[in-house]
Amino acid sequence: MSRLPWRRPRTASIEPRITAGVAERIELAVEGMSCASCAGRIEKVLRRQPGVKGAIVSFATRRATVEFYPQMVSADAFCRPVTALGYQISRADHEPPGSGGVEDGARRMWGRRVVVSWPLGLTAMAIGMLFGGAGWARWTSFALALPVQFWAGWPFLKAAARRAARGTATMDTLISIGTLAAFGYSGYALLAGGHLYFETAAMLIAFLTLGRYLEARAKKRASGAIQRLLGLGAKEAHLVVNGSERLIPIDQVRVGDVLRVYPGEKIPVDGVVTAGWSAIDESMLTGESVPVEKNANDKVAGATINTHGVLTIMATAVGQDTALAQVVRLVEEAQSSKAHVQRLADRVAGIFVPIVLVIAAATFLGWWLLAGDTQAGLTAAVTVLIIACPCSLGLATPMAIMVGVGRGAEMGVLVKSGEILEQSKRIQTILFDKTGTLTRGQMSLVDVVASDGQDRDELLRLGGAMEAYSEHPIGRAIVAAARRRGIDLPDVERFQTVTGQGVIGLVDGTEVRVGRRILMEAWQLPIPEDVEYAISAIEQQGRTAVLIGWAGQTRGGFGVADTVKDNALPVVRDLRDMRLDVGIITGDNHRTAGAIARHLGVDRVLAEVLPKDKVDEVRRLQQEPRVVAMVGDGINDAPALVQADLAIAIGTGTDVAIESSDITLLSGDLQGVPKAIRLSRRTLRVIHQNLGWAFGYNVAAIPLAALGLLNPLVAGAAMAFSSVSVVANSLRLRRVTASTTETPTTASDMDEFGEAGKVGELGDDRLAA
């Protein structure tokens, strides 16, 4: 099983108390939480249970993720203590993460209370202001406030009563005590002839219900990324059995089923193409807008779109095992994780409620004993209770993480946990693996050299014809370049391979040789001076040179190399603009690595490093000391990725290196690297803004309330606004985009075939080293 966000090998924050057996993970839905202190209390109770390895409870997502040993404890057993506290906890399997069911229910419930509380509360306030002294007005205010207090405010009262029965206090306790104090005192004053506060209690609840309603709406929007992902899957599939075809619901598809997908339809499940050809739009999964060609034996992912062509696929993964389901699960885990900065906020929220109760009591006693003003004391105490509710403090971090991680998923960037967002802020050096990361990982023809009087297309025609019979990567690069230029390749007779040297054969009755310098020398084919000069230049650049000759002379040659990816150069520039030190780490030789580094403007080059030694190189940089990020394919580079402070794996959507990476880029697009770092930094900035507002609000508001400088209605409005403002600020992360300017070096930027040794116009070939 994949490890939970808090269980990174090098920064584990929860030490298991039990080492026997295999731990399992369960997702639980938690209802009844009113603030971050509730989440902290539930988390503490769960972690104390025997057999529980670790637990994380998120106030924002209303979810608990528990890792436990089933041979030691059952889920029902460790859930019972949580239920005893007055919370409802149940398995979340029936409701997919981010489905929005909880938020929808809360939005409807609070919406109904808003519709009732505001008209009644405003009417009670108007009557109190205009006809406050009349007997009918006093009793009418009571009648109007009664349903607001005990129906619209019932969720607060019910939750507070449950907590009180178990000796605990939460934000609901503060609200309930404050509004009941105002309502109860007004009931006494109604009979005794004193000043009434019915409209105050009613309007406080009106403001609080409106705040909860707006908060639920905002949370619904915040979880929109997962909802959109979940909505992308196909609903039906064309099942092929014995040549016949029928339409079935997607949940009836099984592994091994043969399915047919028509143009414009979604791929129903993950699978392998068995017949047909098409281009697949994988943007929903990888963020890559250009459709990807798929042929027989290629993998396809569920929910991607077949743009044209009919495909027959065999299902390899269905349901929760598909790539889409894995992405959703990873995003949900990351949204429920906690950053270090949130743990401080949770600790503060955990002790905040008792402190506020003490401050409110001291405020009332102070006004009563020192100023002799009981009414002012009551007003000030109620104001303290209402304005000090730590809603915004509890939402500050998880809401930003929820929105930021969700936005990353939409852009093809999977962030493993909230801690990763903080780590990215500290990064100083980024190391890129070369092959397959900065480069394409496949050979391409980048140079064509021709002696005086020799046509380059003729070189490609004969060289391509010879190499068409070869399986060597260098040969395939020459053949591909010839075919891209529309050159017809003739047949070859008496083809043979000279091991380690090249190939020989007859083309149109002429014996042609293609291979290394040693092959030309063995057959006494002299190399003209201009060809020698150009080939030497190619080799000095770290490229592989291949010569071609016939009729007693070497006629030219080809330069083949692993080409740099289109956007590697602008990505490196973007990272350097972020004031990051960029380096290359590779097992390739110094000459090749240095050529790529010079082209990309990279100063730090670690070449001829074996895979097992990459860990040592990363560790050496960390000892300088530097905070190091590693970007690799996540498979061969797994040890170095784990050692790095931040691991970024280049994935393909269906083959992501989940275990060894902190951030996974679902496409092979290098744009994802600055995109991920920019998103992480923006998310962390929003977290700090939220916390600054939440702490500042409470620190400034409580003294003002205690001194009687705030009206309870203003306090209620401010408390509701504080939570909504934190959520709204977090929602700004939905607008984060990648700002890297794409200026790839394309074939059209290169020279036509000119002087020997220059790069030629060869279709999609790129500048290489």
Side-chain angles (χ1 to χ4, degrees):
M1 59 179 286
S2 62
R3 62 176 186 269
L4 290 173
W6 65 80
R7 293 293 299 160
R8 298 184 66 216
R10 53 183 179 277
T11 58
S13 57
I14 299 178
E15 293 297 330
R17 298 188 295 270
I18 301 172
T19 57
V22 178
E24 292 184 3
R25 185 182 62 226
I26 187 174
E27 295 288 329
L28 301 167
V30 184
E31 290 302 312
M33 293 191 293
S34 58
C35 60
S37 61
C38 295
R41 184 177 297 111
I42 295 171
E43 192 172 288
K44 188 181 298 183
V45 168
L46 287 171
R47 290 182 179 183
R48 283 203 302 255
Q49 302 309 307
V52 172
K53 183 180 180 182
I56 285 181
V57 180
S58 172
F59 170 53
T61 62
R62 301 291 200 273
R63 295 260 173 165
T65 303
V66 183
E67 197 170 4
F68 68 103
Y69 295 97
Q71 64 271 36
M72 301 291 296
V73 64
S74 67
D76 290 338
F78 62 70
C79 284
R80 276 194 290 270
V82 177
T83 305
L85 290 176
Y87 302 97
Q88 296 84 50
I89 185 168
S90 60
R91 291 186 68 100
D93 299 348
H94 65 282
E95 183 180 296
S99 61
V102 174
E103 287 79 10
D104 280 338
R107 182 172 54 85
R108 288 192 295 268
M109 186 268 285
W110 290 113
R112 290 192 296 269
R113 282 163 169 77
V114 167
V115 170
V116 172
S117 61
W118 273 91
L120 296 180
L122 288 173
T123 304
M125 176 179 287
I127 290 175
M129 292 174 63
L130 298 175
F131 314 101
W136 68 269
R138 294 166 65 87
W139 282 99
T140 302
S141 295
F142 166 73
L144 292 171
L146 187 65
V148 177
Q149 177 70 54
F150 293 102
W151 183 80
W154 178 246
F156 303 118
L157 301 176
K158 180 182 178 182
R162 284 181 172 177
R163 308 297 177 267
R166 292 163 178 82
T168 61
T170 65
M171 187 199 75
D172 293 317
T173 305
L174 303 182
I175 294 174
S176 299
I177 292 176
T179 56
L180 283 175
F183 190 90
Y185 178 83
S186 298
Y188 167 77
L190 178 64
L191 301 176
H195 185 73
L196 302 182
Y197 291 95
F198 285 128
E199 73 279 2
T200 299
M203 287 306 299
L204 280 174
I205 291 176
F207 276 116
L208 295 173
T209 55
L210 178 61
R212 290 293 182 89
Y213 171 73
L214 294 176
E215 183 182 312
R217 281 190 59 186
K219 285 184 178 179
K220 171 80 171 176
R221 293 178 61 196
S223 61
I226 298 184
Q227 294 176 45
R228 284 188 288 274
L229 285 174
L230 289 169
L232 292 173
K235 304 298 185 292
E236 295 177 317
H238 298 278
L239 178 67
V240 179
V241 180
N242 297 326
S244 62
E245 180 181 312
R246 60 189 177 91
L247 198 62
I248 63 171
I250 194 66
D251 55 6
Q252 293 183 13
V253 177
R254 299 291 180 264
V255 173
D257 283 350
V258 177
L259 309 172
R260 187 158 292 144
V261 187
Y262 293 94
E265 292 184 342
K266 294 178 181 178
I267 305 294
V269 295
D270 292 4
V272 176
V273 177
T274 59
W277 172 91
S278 183
I280 304 298
D281 179 359
E282 298 182 337
S283 58
M284 51 69 57
L285 193 63
T286 67
E288 176 58 52
S289 59
V290 179
V292 180
E293 291 187 4
K294 299 290 183 178
N295 296 287
N297 300 320
D298 287 339
K299 294 180 180 179
V300 291
T304 56
I305 300 174
N306 180 20
T307 59
H308 58 82
V310 179
L311 291 178
T312 302
I313 68 171
M314 183 179 69
T316 58
V318 299
Q320 294 302 308
D321 295 326
T322 63
L324 177 63
Q326 292 174 22
V327 170
V328 171
R329 187 159 52 249
L330 284 171
V331 173
E332 196 276 338
E333 286 179 1
Q335 288 183 336
S336 298
S337 67
K338 294 187 178 182
H340 287 301
V341 68
Q342 185 181 346
R343 302 186 192 280
L344 171 62
D346 288 350
R347 286 195 295 270
V348 172
I351 62 174
F352 198 71
V353 173
I355 291 176
V356 170
L357 290 173
V358 172
I359 293 175
T363 298
F364 176 75
L365 292 175
W367 280 92
W368 176 33
L369 298 177
L370 299 179
D373 192 339
T374 306
Q375 288 188 0
L378 176 64
T379 301
V382 169
T383 306
V384 168
L385 290 171
I386 297 301
I387 206 164
C389 294
C391 292
S392 57
L393 189 62
L395 289 171
T397 299
M399 284 305 302
I401 290 177
M402 177 188 293
V403 180
V405 169
R407 177 58 186 144
E410 290 180 320
M411 297 191 298
V413 177
L414 288 186
V415 182
K416 292 289 287 293
S417 72
E419 292 181 4
I420 304 308
L421 300 175
E422 292 176 305
Q423 190 73 343
S424 66
K425 175 76 173 178
R426 302 172 51 241
I427 293 301
Q428 298 168 297
T429 298
I430 293 188
L431 293 180
F432 284 88
D433 172 56
K434 181 180 73 71
T435 305
T437 302
L438 285 175
T439 66
R440 296 181 174 185
Q442 59 186 26
M443 306 299 281
S444 296
L445 181 62
V446 293
D447 295 278
V448 177
V449 175
S451 61
D452 288 339
Q454 195 66 52
D455 181 67
R456 289 176 174 79
D457 281 352
E458 180 65 10
L459 292 180
L460 277 174
R461 189 180 79 89
L462 296 177
M466 294 293 298
E467 296 292 358
Y469 290 78
S470 170
E471 292 297 324
H472 197 282
I474 294 176
R476 287 200 297 268
I478 297 173
V479 174
R483 286 175 174 165
R484 277 197 301 272
R485 291 183 64 82
I487 297 174
D488 292 329
L489 303 181
D491 293 331
V492 177
E493 300 176 0
R494 292 162 49 186
F495 176 85
Q496 61 176 308
T497 299
V498 182
T499 304
Q501 297 184 22
V503 294
I504 302 173
L506 288 178
V507 181
D508 298 332
T510 301
E511 189 172 60
V512 180
R513 295 173 176 81
V514 181
R516 298 170 57 191
R517 190 187 303 267
I518 189 174
L519 181 67
M520 303 298 131
E521 293 174 349
W523 291 87
Q524 298 179 352
L525 300 180
I527 302 174
E529 185 176 343
D530 57 347
V531 175
E532 178 66 50
Y533 176 82
I535 291 297
S536 297
I538 290 173
E539 292 174 336
Q540 288 174 4
Q541 293 173 4
R543 304 175 185 178
T544 301
V546 177
L547 296 168
I548 181 171
W550 66 86
Q553 184 175 329
T554 301
R555 304 291 175 171
F558 308 101
V560 180
D562 182 5
T563 54
V564 174
K565 288 184 177 178
D566 294 350
N567 47 20
L569 182 57
V571 164
V572 170
R573 287 174 180 168
D574 200 14
L575 294 172
R576 291 172 67 94
D577 288 343
M578 295 181 190
R579 299 183 180 179
L580 295 172
D581 179 25
V582 183
I584 296 175
I585 185 167
T586 178
D588 213 336
N589 61 73
H590 286 281
R591 187 171 58 186
T592 301
I596 290 182
R598 286 190 299 274
H599 169 57
L600 297 177
V602 174
D603 298 325
R604 188 185 296 269
V605 181
L606 304 174
E608 299 182 14
V609 180
L610 297 176
K612 64 184 181 64
D613 297 328
K614 288 184 178 181
V615 174
D616 297 330
E617 292 293 341
V618 172
R619 189 179 293 119
R620 182 178 62 79
L621 287 174
Q622 291 170 328
Q623 291 171 351
E624 285 190 10
R626 299 191 69 81
V627 183
V628 180
M630 174 74 186
V631 184
D633 61 16
I635 302 172
N636 297 330
D637 300 310
L641 286 167
V642 172
Q643 176 62 37
D645 299 290
L646 180 69
I648 303 177
I650 304 290
T652 60
T654 56
D655 187 20
V656 293
I658 296 172
E659 287 301 321
S660 55
S661 68
D662 301 315
I663 297 175
T664 300
L665 310 180
L666 292 180
S667 71
D669 189 356
L670 287 175
Q671 293 280 352
V673 177
K675 193 185 300 183
I677 295 175
R678 186 176 293 111
L679 175 66
S680 297
R681 289 182 172 182
R682 285 284 299 276
T683 303
L684 195 60
R685 189 182 311 147
V686 168
I687 288 174
H688 290 157
Q689 291 170 353
N690 288 349
L691 288 174
W693 162 255
F695 277 113
Y697 162 81
N698 282 288
V699 169
I702 292 176
L704 293 177
L707 293 173
L709 300 177
L710 287 179
N711 183 281
L713 295 183
V714 175
M719 195 278 281
F721 173 75
S722 68
S723 298
V724 175
S725 64
V726 163
V727 176
N729 189 46
S730 300
L731 287 174
R732 292 191 304 116
L733 289 168
R734 298 175 67 196
R735 299 196 297 268
V736 173
T737 58
S739 62
T740 305
T741 303
E742 295 192 38
T743 55
T745 307
T746 63
S748 60
D749 299 325
M750 301 178 181
D751 298 329
E752 293 285 345
F753 293 164
E755 297 300 322
K758 284 190 176 181
V759 178
E761 186 184 26
L762 300 174
D764 66 352
D765 293 324
R766 305 291 187 262
L767 184 61

